[in-house]
Amino acid sequence: QSVLTQPPSVSAAPGQKVTISCSGSSSNIGDNYVSWYQHLPGTAPKLLIYEDDLRPSGIPDRFSGSKSGTSAALAITGLQTGDEADYYCGTWDSSLSVVVFGGGTKLTVL
Amino acid sequence: QVQLVQSGAEVRKPESSVKVSCKVSGGTFRSYAITWVRQAPGQGLEWMGGIIPVTTTVRYAQKFRERVTITADGSTNTAYMELRRLRSDDTAIYYCARGMQFWSGDYWGQGSLVTVSS
């Protein structure tokens, strides 16, 4: 059972937009920055978003992050088949003093 | 160009230990957070712990606190993760990452497969 809650799967057609939610609490998302990762099993995770809504260099602006209260979201526009992957949110939990991840969301581009 | 290069695959027996290394090149080592994350077969990402070499701050996930030790050698820009009393469910790919915080790794190692089997 993950501390952060994500939907197990989302799907959309190429070119469409999808949003992945990440729900937490006042001690984690509500108190700290959120990061988002794209992960293809067997490869290293890739940082997509840090500090809630910032993109590392090289990450296209099709990927955007947002946060409100104890929930965060990752939006992906102009979906491509290459976006099919698992997506994880992560942050620090101030009460537990540990990093917490969501359980991951599998994106399928139909 | 920052690169994190991890040690190779390991096979261990239950109750033994494994030590995985992560060498950072091409960038600053000491002032960043080095974090360790694993992924077991069919499971999601799991944070194990991390270290900030410049302050020697170390944090561990509660689940691993009694079995894991994370260290860093500033003279070789290498971080280490040792996991003891291995069990079959420790079979996983172990990743190191460097970032501004323990949860924002922007550079990652290639992963090290650890297989625990009798």
Side-chain angles (χ1 to χ4, degrees):
Chain A
Q1 195 80 354
S2 301
V3 173
L4 304 181
T5 301
Q6 297 180 234
S9 64
V10 295
S11 62
Q16 296 299 303
K17 174 184 177 180
V18 70
T19 301
I20 299 172
S21 61
C22 176
S23 178
S25 69
S26 58
S27 65
N28 42 65
I29 292 178
D31 196 36
N32 296 285
Y33 288 126
V34 175
S35 295
W36 287 91
Y37 294 93
Q38 178 190 64
H39 189 216
L40 289 163
T43 68
K46 177 191 289 186
L47 181 67
L48 296 176
I49 298 290
Y50 67 102
E51 293 185 7
D52 297 342
D53 58 8
L54 301 181
R55 284 186 305 276
S57 60
I59 301 300
D61 60 7
R62 300 188 300 109
F63 297 90
S64 63
S66 62
K67 189 174 83 173
S68 178
T70 59
S71 292
L74 172 71
I76 310 172
T77 60
L79 277 172
Q80 303 172 0
T81 55
D83 295 331
E84 285 200 337
D86 298 320
Y87 292 82
Y88 294 87
C89 57
T91 186
W92 183 255
D93 190 296
S94 303
S95 294
L96 302 174
S97 293
V98 297
V99 170
V100 289
F101 283 116
T105 298
K106 182 175 182 62
L107 169 63
T108 301
V109 182
L110 303 168
Chain B
Q1 170 103 0
V2 177
Q3 281 192 305
L4 279 67
V5 179
Q6 299 182 221
S7 47
E10 304 270 14
V11 179
R12 291 285 186 272
K13 294 190 181 303
E15 293 302 312
S16 67
S17 300
V18 69
K19 192 169 187 177
V20 182
S21 67
C22 171
K23 184 172 176 60
V24 181
S25 62
T28 305
F29 173 76
R30 287 176 50 81
S31 57
Y32 283 87
I34 304 294
T35 203
W36 289 90
V37 173
R38 77 178 188 179
Q39 184 179 40
Q43 303 298 309
L45 299 179
E46 183 173 33
W47 186 73
M48 300 182 69
I51 186 168
I52 302 174
V54 69
T55 61
T56 65
T57 299
V58 183
R59 295 286 184 265
Y60 298 116
Q62 176 67 34
K63 174 179 177 178
F64 300 102
R65 200 156 289 167
E66 294 185 3
R67 296 198 297 137
V68 72
T69 301
I70 294 173
T71 56
D73 182 344
S75 67
T76 61
N77 285 4
T78 303
Y80 300 90
M81 186 282 300
E82 180 181 32
L83 188 61
R84 301 177 293 279
R85 301 196 304 277
L86 289 167
R87 308 186 292 248
S88 58
D89 61 0
D90 290 319
T91 294
I93 300 175
Y94 290 77
Y95 295 100
C96 63
R98 191 204 80 163
M100 291 302 296
Q101 297 101 9
F102 286 135
W103 64 98
S104 61
D106 51 356
Y107 292 97
W108 289 70
Q110 81 277 20
S112 299
L113 175 63
V114 175
T115 303
V116 183
S117 174
S118 55

